[in-house]
Amino acid sequence: MKVAVPTWNGRVSPVFDTAGRLLLIEYNNKEETGRSDAVLDASTWQALAGQVSHLGVDVLLCGAISRPLAALLAEFGVSVVPFVNGSVDEVISAWRENRLSESHFVMPGCRGR
């Protein structure tokens, strides 16, 4: 399984649509097996969704995301977990421990995910 998190200054990027970098984390039976970075350089929603799909992403943990882009990613088989806030390492740990619903991981104003 491959999990992706758009990053900005060590935190989850606030808006996925305009993110420039993606941290990719690979798991095998819930054990992390590797990390890598990817530069996002697509200029359209379709190209961005295609780029994420081409990277083999299964789950995208992100901040705000436009509905059309989220729908495109779903068409490519990417499960999107939107409106996530916090430092990258804390968010990844919370995702693995099923704690992303805790209030400090939810973007302000997005309680209803």
Side-chain angles (χ1 to χ4, degrees), residues 56-83:
V57 173
D58 299 297
V59 177
L60 174 68
L61 308 175
C62 63
I65 184 171
S66 64
R67 286 183 181 161
L69 180 52
L72 282 168
L73 287 164
E75 287 180 24
F76 278 105
V78 178
S79 176
V80 177
V81 180
F83 309 119

Side-chain angles (χ1 to χ4, degrees), residues 2 6 8 13 16 20-21 34 48-49 51 67 77-79 83 87 95-96 104 109:
K2 191 177 285 186
W8 182 73
S13 182
F16 178 66
R21 299 198 66 74
L48 182 54
Q51 185 178 9
R67 286 183 181 161
V78 178
S79 176
F83 309 119
S87 77
W95 174 78
R96 289 185 64 204
H104 56 281

Side-chain angles (χ1 to χ4, degrees), residues 11-92:
R11 299 185 60 79
V12 175
S13 182
V15 181
F16 178 66
D17 298 48
T18 59
R21 299 198 66 74
L22 200 58
L23 173 64
L24 303 165
I25 308 125
E26 295 189 49
Y27 290 96
N28 186 5
N29 294 326
K30 296 192 178 186
E31 285 293 318
E32 185 175 320
T33 59
R35 289 187 180 204
S36 60
D37 287 305
V39 174
L40 298 173
D41 58 4
S43 60
T44 66
W45 288 328
Q46 292 83 359
L48 182 54
Q51 185 178 9
V52 170
S53 174
H54 181 74
L55 290 168
V57 173
D58 299 297
V59 177
L60 174 68
L61 308 175
C62 63
I65 184 171
S66 64
R67 286 183 181 161
L69 180 52
L72 282 168
L73 287 164
E75 287 180 24
F76 278 105
V78 178
S79 176
V80 177
V81 180
F83 309 119
V84 174
N85 178 53
S87 77
V88 171
D89 288 331
E90 288 176 350
V91 164
I92 292 166

